[in-house]
Amino acid sequence: MRLVITKASQLLTLRGKRNGPRAGRDLEDLGKVNDGYVAVDKGKIADVGRGRPPAADTVIDASGMTVMPGFVDPHTHLVFAGSRESELRMKLQGKTYMQILRAGGGIMSTVRATRLASIRLLEEIAAFRCELMLRHGTTTCEAKSGYGLDLETELKMLDAIKGIKTPMDIVPTFLGAHALPPEFAKTPDYIEFIIKKVLPRVKGRARFCDVFCEDGAFTLEDSRRLLTAAKKSGLVPKIHADEIKNIGGSSLAAELGAISADHLLATTDKDLTAMAKAGVMGVYLPATPFSLMMKEYPDVRRAIRKGVAVALATDFNPNAWTHSMPFVMNLACYKMGMTPAEAVTASTINAAWAIGMQDKVGSLEVGKQADIAIIGLPSHEHIPYRFGMNPVVCTIKKGKVVWMDPDYGPKVKN
Ligand SMILES: [Zn+2]
């Protein structure tokens, strides 16, 4: 064996159910092993058990710590240039997302900065962000385009996602329909442009096609047209649905068999039932209402009652700037009423399902990638319980240590 992690006070394998993401009571099943070890060989999990581990070149002593799968962040806008710190002041004055957008701020200022940036610059900025994510225990993420809104920049963004130098696994999503660019007066014309001119070039560059289905962004009909065309060209649909108003985004996700519907603030019981039936993952992004200073958070408990499999994500973007899944877990528990165990499942195996990565990552099972987060706390309940700190003391990606806290990291014997 190359590496063994042993003496974990709690080992969360998330093993078990293989035929689908976890819903209902299964969300609480973390596949816990007391006094457990994980053995790693050739970058993969070679053995998981309890008690005495096999001999290995390197032994990590995780006494007093929690060992779990690396976090999967299934919804990020990882690649963009610039920042929008001045909008915090506007938000404090009571301006809404749509008001800031109409004032030429918001997404359009990011679009301007991203169009100007070279692909090299975008790759370098994103690599640094990946480094921060790894330090917070995230080992796999999704990344969207959507700050180009023209052919050249959308392709530049997708190529930048591919070119990022990082150990992180990154799954690319095409989000050309993120906002209406200034060059187009009407959304149907823009959708037509995407379908005819951009989609054919996206093939091979992205795995998913996303759309911002919202009042003030793209209508239900625009979204249906785009995602139907995307499906034909081999992309799997995803939807930014019901973030502010419900114009039918989540039920469209069910109708089209989207892999996930994300945000879900204004989703109804009927939509949730349709999603559960169609196997659409609900991806919850509580850092977004937090950053928008909204009083309401999505009702994830209702989704869980309705049998929807749920995942959590940061929604990292210039408006909600966090790389931390543990922070998202704080919000999930304190603001949305998830239990700590549910938040762990939603940030690991279910998050992997939300981006089609469940066969490789999201649980500690023999044959899967050795993507591991070591938490410097004795149980998973501490992760959402404590806030304003980074609980991750060591991150392992494909069997290699990629982050080690110099003060609080586990002891390593070679
Ligand atoms: Zn988003």
Side-chain angles (χ1 to χ4, degrees), residues 22-24 272 275-277 280 302-310:
R22 289 169 198 225
L272 291 169
M275 281 173 62
K277 216 170 146 199
V280 178
R302 198 160 50 116
I304 293 170
R305 275 201 304 278
K306 289 278 169 194
V308 176
V310 298

Side-chain angles (χ1 to χ4, degrees), residues 86-303:
S86 61
E87 287 172 19
L88 176 54
R89 210 183 155 78
M90 297 171 81
K91 288 190 264 186
L92 288 166
Q93 289 161 349
K95 300 248 179 0
T96 64
Y97 177 90
M98 284 300 172
Q99 283 170 328
I100 295 171
L101 186 66
R102 279 195 287 269
I107 189 171
M108 284 311 158
S109 66
T110 303
V111 168
R112 285 190 292 274
T114 306
R115 284 179 176 180
L116 282 173
S118 69
I119 182 165
R120 190 71 181 278
L121 177 67
L122 294 177
E123 286 170 4
E124 278 169 14
I125 296 171
F128 178 64
R129 291 171 186 162
C130 287
E131 174 63 31
L132 295 175
M133 291 167 87
L134 289 166
R135 285 179 179 225
H136 287 88
T138 301
T139 45
T140 298
C141 74
E142 182 256 21
K144 300 176 197 292
S145 70
Y147 293 115
L149 312 181
D150 61 20
L151 175 65
E152 188 194 338
T153 317
E154 285 297 313
L155 298 183
K156 180 174 76 181
M157 287 187 74
L158 291 172
D159 290 341
I161 291 169
K162 200 168 182 194
I164 301 167
K165 288 192 181 66
T166 175
M168 179 101 69
D169 278 301
I170 307 176
V171 183
T173 295
F174 170 59
L175 177 58
H178 196 188
L180 184 67
E183 296 82 8
F184 284 83
K186 285 191 281 182
T187 57
D189 298 346
Y190 181 57
I191 294 292
E192 185 74 11
F193 164 75
I194 295 184
I195 292 172
K196 293 258 167 69
K197 305 276 186 216
V198 189
L199 266 186
R201 304 284 301 276
V202 166
K203 214 173 168 182
R205 286 179 157 105
R207 190 157 162 190
F208 303 107
C209 180
D210 199 342
V211 55
F212 189 14
C213 180
E214 186 70 47
D215 209 13
F218 295 92
T219 65
L220 188 65
E221 205 30 61
D222 289 339
S223 305
R224 182 183 281 115
R225 242 176 88 217
L226 172 63
L227 293 179
T228 305
K231 254 175 105 166
K232 276 195 197 128
S233 77
L235 299 172
V236 176
K238 267 186 178 288
I239 309 187
H240 280 65
D242 314 342
E243 179 176 348
I244 300 156
K245 271 192 195 166
N246 186 336
I247 61 163
S250 51
S251 52
L252 179 66
E255 175 192 318
L256 295 176
I259 192 165
S260 73
D262 303 29
H263 284 293
L264 308 174
L265 261 89
T267 308
T268 65
D269 280 1
K270 206 172 135 227
D271 300 326
L272 291 169
T273 305
M275 281 173 62
K277 216 170 146 199
V280 178
M281 173 78 67
V283 177
Y284 287 79
L285 313 161
T288 309
F290 178 81
S291 72
L292 294 171
M293 300 175 186
M294 292 165 76
K295 288 191 185 75
E296 291 283 311
Y297 280 71
D299 191 351
V300 71
R301 289 248 63 89
R302 198 160 50 116

